[in-house]
Amino acid sequence: MTRTANDRFEWLRAAAATGAVHTVRASFADRLGHWRGKRIPAEHFVEHPGHTIGFCDGMLVCDVRCDVIEDTPYTNYGTGYPDFDVRFDLARLRPVGWIDGEAYVFGDPIDHDGQPSPVSPRHVLQHVLGRLNAQRIKARVGFEFGGRFMHDPFRPALIPAGGLQPGDEIGALTRLGRGLQASEIPIMSIAGGREAGAFRLGLGVDEPMTSAEAVVVAKGAAKEIARQSGVTASFMTNQRGATQLSLLEATIELETAKPTNLNAEAIRSRLVEVRPLLQPSANAFKIGVPAVPDVDVNGSRIHIGRLTASSEADPFTVTAAVLAAISVALGSDGIAASTSPTDTLGAAATHLSGIAWPTDWLGAAFVANSIPLLLREDILHRSNVTDWEIERYWSTA
Amino acid sequence: MSSSKWTDLVWVDLLGRPRVVRVPSETVGNRAIRIAKSQVLAGYDSGSNEPGFVRLIPDTKTERVVDWDADRSIVFGDLQEEDGSPSPLCSRSSLRRILLVSSESGYQVLAAPELEFFVLNAETKLPIYADIQQYSIIKGTEMEPLLHQVRSGLNRMNIPIEASNPEYSGGQVEVNVEYGPALEAADRATLMRSLLGVLARKQGLAVTFMAKPWTDDAGCGLHLHHSLWHEGRNAFADEKGLSEMARHYAAGLLCRIREFSLLGSATPNAYHRRSDYTFAPTRVCWGPDNRTLAVRAIATERNSTRLEQRDAAADCNVYLALAGQIAAGLEGVREGLQPPDQVAGDAYARNDLPELPRSFLQAFELLDGSAAARSALGEETIASYLGVLQRERTVLLRSASDWERDRYLFAV
């Protein structure tokens, strides 16, 4: 039975009164899908229903290390990094299933005038879904994604090579599965990989907003449970010494207003154009162009399986970009050949800035703020001397 | 009074550090404790030889039972001279006196302290993690064994915590204390700093509120939020946003921000925090929501409309910092001062704006020459405060730092 926002708030009120929940994670997801927010005493949260909480807006356009740059037009020292507020979506209030006494709620970043922040990936996905709805396209999305448990630094942990064995007792995975279920995350599978430390989580197909949020929460749960076990969980795409990549694979179910002849190449050619949003680091770019291996069209129903992005990508952005790409592909005649240079993150980001449809669908502000961050990531990567270079050239050059 | 067996009677030295005399609880209120003036004036070097005593008078309304020890309570006290008059060495009394001026005009000052600090490994004295992860829920989880105790324990001790989050440096945390009457706000902030240290030690950790522990990391600020209330209404808000009274108050804050700087930044180290492009203010300016300004006007909702002065350091005497700021704000209201034009954009780039003091020595000279400070806080209070910091000044002037040795030893 679906529980309303009011149901969930009343649950929290009761849980706060008994002390069963003492803390609320008042949350938002940043442009890389990182779980951010403030911890609020539960009693304080229930005393102020509907209130908003302010955060420095630089954290909506920061890089993976929280660095802010002057090239993002949304905010910089020229704007003074003012606050944005988060308006919490109480329908998304859930217990934190893997830690006693905590609940979490995500919300929408809004500006001081109450308008959704145009650089918030959650808002961008809502905007894309609104347009699909206007075109009478219904979408559902599910994700499967991989990560690694590691001892610091870079030694596999918890899961043996070859994956799980029947009857394996791996406490962290047990806690992860039970914890996600308790948080109402539709966890469908937990598996190891062929390499030690590797794991994959499968989440059920659901409404896109729900599914994207589920990935943010599941990744957070994996990281927190790993720390409880004295190890680290990482979703870096291409890890040192590993042959198995950490990928975010999407299953997409679409129902269109009329029959279509959509094919995989039409989607792929559009996804190549937004590749930096699906693979947002130089490391992630090493996995190659996004794959769209399974497209099954049956009249007005489309099933797309195993559409690949990087595990480190933001699931809201990935979902928004993929659904927009599919919609654009649906509207195009034949297959549009991509001329996108795809060899480096920087070149692809520059190319992305010149394409009209991502700006049209994802918003000018979102694209205009993503580009400088992607370019900077590429510059940092290119200007950095790697261990590999030292090992290869130091004594021989 | 509670049923606790022992009471920590708290007085605050001139640097804002709480000091305790532990007494049987049944004796609180029956006697005055004598405190040596040399202790109140101890400074960082315990270097005072001041003769004489002051009396510690418990303010029993402030009683709090220690959350982790029901046999113990904490009561703040005020310092009086032997003749029963308020002691000029009592910074709590200084703040109380300034608030009385406001209340006699029918206005209550509400304030909220926003404190930043580092959580450290107690052995290495380094932050417990290195990377910047502002607002990270995941990093926050790593600190929850401490921060949950802080939020819940302090709430039960009438220090209502609104939120906590990782701040903009590795291991740095911000804790937001709910706004309240200004004296209560200063008590809460002062006690919170101390209790955080106690709770951290229980976890095998340490905390520091030092203004700028590491050159390349963020500093620790004390942002003080102000609003004036009249008959239950926020007088800083009107139908257009920020009221005329708030503008006068802002003018007062800005008028005195340079000469009162030493009240909120009392160590030489605190001036390393004042660096461009670090989110700490360096110029005398104000305006709407903008993190490069010294005074930030926040006027999004009527009840939460306020002015935030951002220059003080987290390790200051909160009573004196708040007293100085409130005195300045009230002066602005009383004199009908008009603030300068609001600044939009990057205040660090505004070389036309007056600079905040960038060194301890400069701030010292400014406070020493400030008739307004002596008028607002009292001649003897300012003289005593400068006396304590004069010793800091002397040490500063004759000390060679590691940085100087590293830079010059073999280069000159």
Side-chain angles (χ1 to χ4, degrees), chain B residues 324-351:
Chain B
Q325 290 181 21
I326 293 170
L330 294 176
E331 180 189 351
V333 173
R334 188 174 61 246
E335 302 296 328
L337 299 180
Q338 286 301 324
D341 290 343
Q342 296 193 353
V343 169
D346 180 1
Y348 296 126
R350 291 288 302 274
N351 294 332

PDB file of all heavy atoms in Angstrom, chain B residues 324-351:
ATOM      1  N   GLY B 324      30.143  43.525  22.010  1.00  0.00           N
ATOM      2  CA  GLY B 324      30.635  44.574  21.123  1.00  0.00           C
ATOM      3  C   GLY B 324      29.739  44.746  19.911  1.00  0.00           C
ATOM      4  O   GLY B 324      29.405  45.878  19.522  1.00  0.00           O
ATOM      5  N   GLN B 325      29.328  43.621  19.328  1.00  0.00           N
ATOM      6  CA  GLN B 325      28.490  43.721  18.132  1.00  0.00           C
ATOM      7  C   GLN B 325      27.126  44.332  18.467  1.00  0.00           C
ATOM      8  O   GLN B 325      26.611  45.180  17.729  1.00  0.00           O
ATOM      9  CB  GLN B 325      28.326  42.333  17.502  1.00  0.00           C
ATOM     10  CG  GLN B 325      29.619  41.809  16.877  1.00  0.00           C
ATOM     11  CD  GLN B 325      29.462  40.447  16.227  1.00  0.00           C
ATOM     12  OE1 GLN B 325      28.352  40.024  15.890  1.00  0.00           O
ATOM     13  NE2 GLN B 325      30.567  39.761  16.031  1.00  0.00           N
ATOM     14  N   ILE B 326      26.535  43.879  19.560  1.00  0.00           N
ATOM     15  CA  ILE B 326      25.206  44.411  19.920  1.00  0.00           C
ATOM     16  C   ILE B 326      25.309  45.898  20.271  1.00  0.00           C
ATOM     17  O   ILE B 326      24.458  46.702  19.854  1.00  0.00           O
ATOM     18  CB  ILE B 326      24.591  43.594  21.079  1.00  0.00           C
ATOM     19  CG1 ILE B 326      24.272  42.170  20.601  1.00  0.00           C
ATOM     20  CG2 ILE B 326      23.328  44.276  21.607  1.00  0.00           C
ATOM     21  CD1 ILE B 326      23.892  41.212  21.718  1.00  0.00           C
ATOM     22  N   ALA B 327      26.349  46.254  21.005  1.00  0.00           N
ATOM     23  CA  ALA B 327      26.528  47.679  21.334  1.00  0.00           C
ATOM     24  C   ALA B 327      26.646  48.498  20.056  1.00  0.00           C
ATOM     25  O   ALA B 327      26.057  49.585  19.937  1.00  0.00           O
ATOM     26  CB  ALA B 327      27.771  47.855  22.208  1.00  0.00           C
ATOM     27  N   ALA B 328      27.382  47.983  19.104  1.00  0.00           N
ATOM     28  CA  ALA B 328      27.549  48.698  17.833  1.00  0.00           C
ATOM     29  C   ALA B 328      26.216  48.791  17.086  1.00  0.00           C
ATOM     30  O   ALA B 328      25.845  49.862  16.568  1.00  0.00           O
ATOM     31  CB  ALA B 328      28.593  47.980  16.981  1.00  0.00           C
ATOM     32  N   GLY B 329      25.500  47.681  17.034  1.00  0.00           N
ATOM     33  CA  GLY B 329      24.205  47.678  16.346  1.00  0.00           C
ATOM     34  C   GLY B 329      23.228  48.637  16.990  1.00  0.00           C
ATOM     35  O   GLY B 329      22.532  49.409  16.295  1.00  0.00           O
ATOM     36  N   LEU B 330      23.177  48.618  18.316  1.00  0.00           N
ATOM     37  CA  LEU B 330      22.251  49.515  19.021  1.00  0.00           C
ATOM     38  C   LEU B 330      22.650  50.975  18.833  1.00  0.00           C
ATOM     39  O   LEU B 330      21.790  51.856  18.748  1.00  0.00           O
ATOM     40  CB  LEU B 330      22.213  49.154  20.510  1.00  0.00           C
ATOM     41  CG  LEU B 330      21.615  47.780  20.846  1.00  0.00           C
ATOM     42  CD1 LEU B 330      21.729  47.502  22.345  1.00  0.00           C
ATOM     43  CD2 LEU B 330      20.155  47.684  20.400  1.00  0.00           C
ATOM     44  N   GLU B 331      23.959  51.206  18.753  1.00  0.00           N
ATOM     45  CA  GLU B 331      24.421  52.573  18.475  1.00  0.00           C
ATOM     46  C   GLU B 331      23.899  53.035  17.115  1.00  0.00           C
ATOM     47  O   GLU B 331      23.454  54.176  16.956  1.00  0.00           O
ATOM     48  CB  GLU B 331      25.954  52.628  18.493  1.00  0.00           C
ATOM     49  CG  GLU B 331      26.512  54.018  18.206  1.00  0.00           C
ATOM     50  CD  GLU B 331      28.029  54.015  18.008  1.00  0.00           C
ATOM     51  OE1 GLU B 331      28.674  52.969  18.253  1.00  0.00           O
ATOM     52  OE2 GLU B 331      28.556  55.054  17.574  1.00  0.00           O
ATOM     53  N   GLY B 332      23.947  52.121  16.165  1.00  0.00           N
ATOM     54  CA  GLY B 332      23.425  52.443  14.831  1.00  0.00           C
ATOM     55  C   GLY B 332      21.952  52.800  14.868  1.00  0.00           C
ATOM     56  O   GLY B 332      21.496  53.750  14.204  1.00  0.00           O
ATOM     57  N   VAL B 333      21.181  52.058  15.676  1.00  0.00           N
ATOM     58  CA  VAL B 333      19.745  52.332  15.802  1.00  0.00           C
ATOM     59  C   VAL B 333      19.529  53.655  16.525  1.00  0.00           C
ATOM     60  O   VAL B 333      18.733  54.503  16.092  1.00  0.00           O
ATOM     61  CB  VAL B 333      19.050  51.175  16.562  1.00  0.00           C
ATOM     62  CG1 VAL B 333      17.590  51.510  16.854  1.00  0.00           C
ATOM     63  CG2 VAL B 333      19.148  49.871  15.759  1.00  0.00           C
ATOM     64  N   ARG B 334      20.262  53.819  17.618  1.00  0.00           N
ATOM     65  CA  ARG B 334      20.086  55.023  18.447  1.00  0.00           C
ATOM     66  C   ARG B 334      20.430  56.285  17.663  1.00  0.00           C
ATOM     67  O   ARG B 334      19.721  57.286  17.732  1.00  0.00           O
ATOM     68  CB  ARG B 334      20.995  54.901  19.676  1.00  0.00           C
ATOM     69  CG  ARG B 334      20.781  55.970  20.730  1.00  0.00           C
ATOM     70  CD  ARG B 334      21.617  55.683  21.979  1.00  0.00           C
ATOM     71  NE  ARG B 334      23.040  55.666  21.710  1.00  0.00           N
ATOM     72  CZ  ARG B 334      23.821  54.587  21.799  1.00  0.00           C
ATOM     73  NH1 ARG B 334      23.306  53.419  22.123  1.00  0.00           N
ATOM     74  NH2 ARG B 334      25.106  54.662  21.540  1.00  0.00           N
ATOM     75  N   GLU B 335      21.490  56.208  16.887  1.00  0.00           N
ATOM     76  CA  GLU B 335      21.948  57.394  16.157  1.00  0.00           C
ATOM     77  C   GLU B 335      21.315  57.510  14.770  1.00  0.00           C
ATOM     78  O   GLU B 335      21.589  58.455  14.037  1.00  0.00           O
ATOM     79  CB  GLU B 335      23.479  57.359  16.001  1.00  0.00           C
ATOM     80  CG  GLU B 335      24.239  57.284  17.316  1.00  0.00           C
ATOM     81  CD  GLU B 335      24.024  58.510  18.189  1.00  0.00           C
ATOM     82  OE1 GLU B 335      23.836  59.599  17.624  1.00  0.00           O
ATOM     83  OE2 GLU B 335      24.004  58.373  19.431  1.00  0.00           O
ATOM     84  N   GLY B 336      20.507  56.528  14.415  1.00  0.00           N
ATOM     85  CA  GLY B 336      19.888  56.545  13.084  1.00  0.00           C
ATOM     86  C   GLY B 336      20.901  56.491  11.961  1.00  0.00           C
ATOM     87  O   GLY B 336      20.728  57.125  10.910  1.00  0.00           O
ATOM     88  N   LEU B 337      21.979  55.727  12.171  1.00  0.00           N
ATOM     89  CA  LEU B 337      23.045  55.655  11.162  1.00  0.00           C
ATOM     90  C   LEU B 337      22.526  54.991   9.885  1.00  0.00           C
ATOM     91  O   LEU B 337      21.682  54.087   9.933  1.00  0.00           O
ATOM     92  CB  LEU B 337      24.238  54.857  11.702  1.00  0.00           C
ATOM     93  CG  LEU B 337      24.933  55.404  12.948  1.00  0.00           C
ATOM     94  CD1 LEU B 337      26.098  54.502  13.346  1.00  0.00           C
ATOM     95  CD2 LEU B 337      25.403  56.833  12.718  1.00  0.00           C
ATOM     96  N   GLN B 338      23.048  55.446   8.777  1.00  0.00           N
ATOM     97  CA  GLN B 338      22.697  54.816   7.492  1.00  0.00           C
ATOM     98  C   GLN B 338      23.870  53.954   7.034  1.00  0.00           C
ATOM     99  O   GLN B 338      25.018  54.401   7.057  1.00  0.00           O
ATOM    100  CB  GLN B 338      22.408  55.894   6.439  1.00  0.00           C
ATOM    101  CG  GLN B 338      21.066  56.587   6.632  1.00  0.00           C
ATOM    102  CD  GLN B 338      19.879  55.638   6.582  1.00  0.00           C
ATOM    103  OE1 GLN B 338      19.878  54.676   5.817  1.00  0.00           O
ATOM    104  NE2 GLN B 338      18.869  55.907   7.410  1.00  0.00           N
ATOM    105  N   PRO B 339      23.574  52.757   6.613  1.00  0.00           N
ATOM    106  CA  PRO B 339      24.668  51.876   6.182  1.00  0.00           C
ATOM    107  C   PRO B 339      25.185  52.280   4.811  1.00  0.00           C
ATOM    108  O   PRO B 339      24.490  52.974   4.061  1.00  0.00           O
ATOM    109  CB  PRO B 339      23.995  50.498   6.106  1.00  0.00           C
ATOM    110  CG  PRO B 339      22.564  50.806   5.795  1.00  0.00           C
ATOM    111  CD  PRO B 339      22.259  52.117   6.475  1.00  0.00           C
ATOM    112  N   PRO B 340      26.396  51.874   4.479  1.00  0.00           N
ATOM    113  CA  PRO B 340      26.880  52.125   3.116  1.00  0.00           C
ATOM    114  C   PRO B 340      26.055  51.319   2.121  1.00  0.00           C
ATOM    115  O   PRO B 340      25.251  50.465   2.500  1.00  0.00           O
ATOM    116  CB  PRO B 340      28.327  51.631   3.171  1.00  0.00           C
ATOM    117  CG  PRO B 340      28.376  50.669   4.310  1.00  0.00           C
ATOM    118  CD  PRO B 340      27.357  51.128   5.297  1.00  0.00           C
ATOM    119  N   ASP B 341      26.271  51.595   0.858  1.00  0.00           N
ATOM    120  CA  ASP B 341      25.571  50.833  -0.172  1.00  0.00           C
ATOM    121  C   ASP B 341      25.845  49.339   0.000  1.00  0.00           C
ATOM    122  O   ASP B 341      26.960  48.936   0.361  1.00  0.00           O
ATOM    123  CB  ASP B 341      26.048  51.255  -1.573  1.00  0.00           C
ATOM    124  CG  ASP B 341      25.569  52.651  -1.922  1.00  0.00           C
ATOM    125  OD1 ASP B 341      24.632  53.141  -1.257  1.00  0.00           O
ATOM    126  OD2 ASP B 341      26.157  53.256  -2.846  1.00  0.00           O
ATOM    127  N   GLN B 342      24.816  48.556  -0.279  1.00  0.00           N
ATOM    128  CA  GLN B 342      24.996  47.117  -0.203  1.00  0.00           C
ATOM    129  C   GLN B 342      25.932  46.662  -1.316  1.00  0.00           C
ATOM    130  O   GLN B 342      25.938  47.233  -2.410  1.00  0.00           O
ATOM    131  CB  GLN B 342      23.654  46.402  -0.319  1.00  0.00           C
ATOM    132  CG  GLN B 342      22.730  46.724   0.858  1.00  0.00           C
ATOM    133  CD  GLN B 342      21.542  45.791   0.935  1.00  0.00           C
ATOM    134  OE1 GLN B 342      21.316  44.979   0.042  1.00  0.00           O
ATOM    135  NE2 GLN B 342      20.780  45.892   2.003  1.00  0.00           N
ATOM    136  N   VAL B 343      26.704  45.661  -1.002  1.00  0.00           N
ATOM    137  CA  VAL B 343      27.659  45.124  -1.974  1.00  0.00           C
ATOM    138  C   VAL B 343      27.086  43.846  -2.574  1.00  0.00           C
ATOM    139  O   VAL B 343      26.644  42.960  -1.854  1.00  0.00           O
ATOM    140  CB  VAL B 343      29.026  44.848  -1.309  1.00  0.00           C
ATOM    141  CG1 VAL B 343      29.927  44.044  -2.234  1.00  0.00           C
ATOM    142  CG2 VAL B 343      29.682  46.165  -0.923  1.00  0.00           C
ATOM    143  N   ALA B 344      27.087  43.809  -3.884  1.00  0.00           N
ATOM    144  CA  ALA B 344      26.721  42.567  -4.577  1.00  0.00           C
ATOM    145  C   ALA B 344      27.982  42.048  -5.258  1.00  0.00           C
ATOM    146  O   ALA B 344      28.833  42.822  -5.689  1.00  0.00           O
ATOM    147  CB  ALA B 344      25.627  42.829  -5.604  1.00  0.00           C
ATOM    148  N   GLY B 345      28.111  40.765  -5.317  1.00  0.00           N
ATOM    149  CA  GLY B 345      29.250  40.191  -6.024  1.00  0.00           C
ATOM    150  C   GLY B 345      30.443  39.969  -5.114  1.00  0.00           C
ATOM    151  O   GLY B 345      30.321  39.875  -3.894  1.00  0.00           O
ATOM    152  N   ASP B 346      31.604  39.940  -5.738  1.00  0.00           N
ATOM    153  CA  ASP B 346      32.836  39.513  -5.080  1.00  0.00           C
ATOM    154  C   ASP B 346      33.432  40.655  -4.253  1.00  0.00           C
ATOM    155  O   ASP B 346      34.114  41.527  -4.791  1.00  0.00           O
ATOM    156  CB  ASP B 346      33.818  39.047  -6.158  1.00  0.00           C
ATOM    157  CG  ASP B 346      35.140  38.582  -5.589  1.00  0.00           C
ATOM    158  OD1 ASP B 346      35.302  38.601  -4.350  1.00  0.00           O
ATOM    159  OD2 ASP B 346      36.003  38.185  -6.394  1.00  0.00           O
ATOM    160  N   ALA B 347      33.198  40.614  -2.949  1.00  0.00           N
ATOM    161  CA  ALA B 347      33.724  41.684  -2.094  1.00  0.00           C
ATOM    162  C   ALA B 347      35.237  41.606  -1.954  1.00  0.00           C
ATOM    163  O   ALA B 347      35.886  42.613  -1.644  1.00  0.00           O
ATOM    164  CB  ALA B 347      33.067  41.611  -0.714  1.00  0.00           C
ATOM    165  N   TYR B 348      35.819  40.433  -2.181  1.00  0.00           N
ATOM    166  CA  TYR B 348      37.277  40.321  -2.075  1.00  0.00           C
ATOM    167  C   TYR B 348      37.975  41.185  -3.138  1.00  0.00           C
ATOM    168  O   TYR B 348      39.121  41.592  -2.962  1.00  0.00           O
ATOM    169  CB  TYR B 348      37.719  38.867  -2.246  1.00  0.00           C
ATOM    170  CG  TYR B 348      37.221  37.931  -1.173  1.00  0.00           C
ATOM    171  CD1 TYR B 348      36.518  36.780  -1.494  1.00  0.00           C
ATOM    172  CD2 TYR B 348      37.471  38.190   0.170  1.00  0.00           C
ATOM    173  CE1 TYR B 348      36.065  35.914  -0.514  1.00  0.00           C
ATOM    174  CE2 TYR B 348      37.019  37.325   1.161  1.00  0.00           C
ATOM    175  CZ  TYR B 348      36.317  36.186   0.807  1.00  0.00           C
ATOM    176  OH  TYR B 348      35.868  35.336   1.780  1.00  0.00           O
ATOM    177  N   ALA B 349      37.283  41.410  -4.235  1.00  0.00           N
ATOM    178  CA  ALA B 349      37.884  42.173  -5.330  1.00  0.00           C
ATOM    179  C   ALA B 349      37.673  43.675  -5.176  1.00  0.00           C
ATOM    180  O   ALA B 349      38.136  44.452  -6.009  1.00  0.00           O
ATOM    181  CB  ALA B 349      37.288  41.714  -6.659  1.00  0.00           C
ATOM    182  N   ARG B 350      36.965  44.089  -4.128  1.00  0.00           N
ATOM    183  CA  ARG B 350      36.608  45.497  -3.964  1.00  0.00           C
ATOM    184  C   ARG B 350      37.681  46.236  -3.165  1.00  0.00           C
ATOM    185  O   ARG B 350      37.549  46.478  -1.972  1.00  0.00           O
ATOM    186  CB  ARG B 350      35.242  45.589  -3.281  1.00  0.00           C
ATOM    187  CG  ARG B 350      34.085  45.116  -4.156  1.00  0.00           C
ATOM    188  CD  ARG B 350      33.787  46.099  -5.267  1.00  0.00           C
ATOM    189  NE  ARG B 350      33.465  47.413  -4.735  1.00  0.00           N
ATOM    190  CZ  ARG B 350      32.243  47.765  -4.354  1.00  0.00           C
ATOM    191  NH1 ARG B 350      31.236  46.927  -4.463  1.00  0.00           N
ATOM    192  NH2 ARG B 350      32.028  48.978  -3.880  1.00  0.00           N
ATOM    193  N   ASN B 351      38.736  46.616  -3.860  1.00  0.00           N
ATOM    194  CA  ASN B 351      39.827  47.319  -3.194  1.00  0.00           C
ATOM    195  C   ASN B 351      39.412  48.702  -2.705  1.00  0.00           C
ATOM    196  O   ASN B 351      40.134  49.337  -1.937  1.00  0.00           O
ATOM    197  CB  ASN B 351      41.022  47.450  -4.137  1.00  0.00           C
ATOM    198  CG  ASN B 351      41.618  46.105  -4.460  1.00  0.00           C
ATOM    199  OD1 ASN B 351      41.522  45.179  -3.653  1.00  0.00           O
ATOM    200  ND2 ASN B 351      42.208  45.967  -5.626  1.00  0.00           N
TER     201      ASN B 351
END
